[in-house]
Amino acid sequence: MSLSFVPYYLPITGTFDVFTYWSELNEYIDLHNASDPFFLYLSMHMVHAPLESPQRFKNMYPTGLYCDKRLTIQAMVSVVDELIANLTTKLKAQKLWNDTVFVFASDNGGDPYVGANAPFKGGKATLFEGIRASVPKVFFRRHVIDDVLHVCAVCS
């Protein structure tokens, strides 16, 4: 069985998809009336196969310490970090942050035969898929819940 992945780099636009997401989101927030509530669901597929990252993010890490795969994964995490930093900065600048419930959630984790998903059981393609769905950070009206929670606990 072969799997095909959509690449992060989009030849049609000449950029990585996460930058397209940010461009659209940035424009939306600029035009949004701060007195009107809105719901945003941003599902980024980084860090995920295929392992691709802009070179400027790879340049943030020393070469020679890790294999190319590890370097690319570190760079991919930095891409996500930059987008989240840009988003929170923008929401604060537009006076939207104090009325925002911000949930940053991970998916079901990696392949349990390749990596570790502790403290959760299983991972992709196992009976416990979804148990890995966790929320490492919940920001709600300037309070931070910094604990491992299941997504269902946050939604209820």
Side-chain angles (χ1 to χ4, degrees):
M1 178 174 141
S2 69
L3 299 174
S4 63
F5 295 101
V6 176
Y8 298 130
Y9 181 77
L10 305 171
I12 294 170
T13 62
T15 189
F16 283 78
D17 61 359
V18 71
F19 302 123
T20 303
Y21 299 157
W22 172 244
S23 176
E24 294 293 323
L25 186 55
N26 192 35
E27 182 179 350
Y28 176 82
I29 293 171
D30 276 339
L31 299 174
H32 181 73
N33 180 347
S35 64
D36 292 334
F38 69 97
F39 175 81
L40 168 68
Y41 178 79
L42 177 62
S43 180
M44 294 180 288
H45 54 275
M46 283 189 160
V47 175
H48 199 281
L51 300 181
E52 298 176 335
S53 176
Q55 188 61 43
R56 76 177 173 98
F57 291 93
K58 290 181 181 181
N59 294 342
M60 295 169 64
Y61 299 96
T63 57
L65 295 178
Y66 304 107
C67 66
D68 288 340
K69 181 178 179 181
R70 175 72 179 244
L71 180 70
T72 303
I73 290 170
Q74 288 173 309
M76 293 169 77
V77 171
S78 292
V79 170
V80 173
D81 285 347
E82 182 178 275
L83 187 137
I84 297 301
N86 289 344
L87 176 59
T88 55
T89 299
K90 183 71 165 190
L91 291 171
K92 289 174 183 178
Q94 298 296 103
K95 308 291 189 231
L96 296 167
W97 182 250
N98 288 342
D99 292 323
T100 296
V101 176
F102 188 93
V103 179
F104 182 81
S106 64
D107 71 355
N108 55 1
D111 183 340
Y113 303 105
V114 177
N117 292 315
F120 300 99
K121 295 180 182 179
K124 293 185 187 315
T126 72
L127 293 175
F128 293 100
E129 185 166 1
I131 300 302
R132 178 66 176 95
S134 63
V135 180
K137 296 280 187 191
V138 178
F139 301 90
F140 179 66
R141 295 190 184 168
R142 292 178 257 172
H143 298 287
V144 178
I145 300 169
D146 190 7
D147 201 356
V148 178
L149 301 170
H150 194 276
V151 171
C152 293
V154 174
C155 297
S156 60

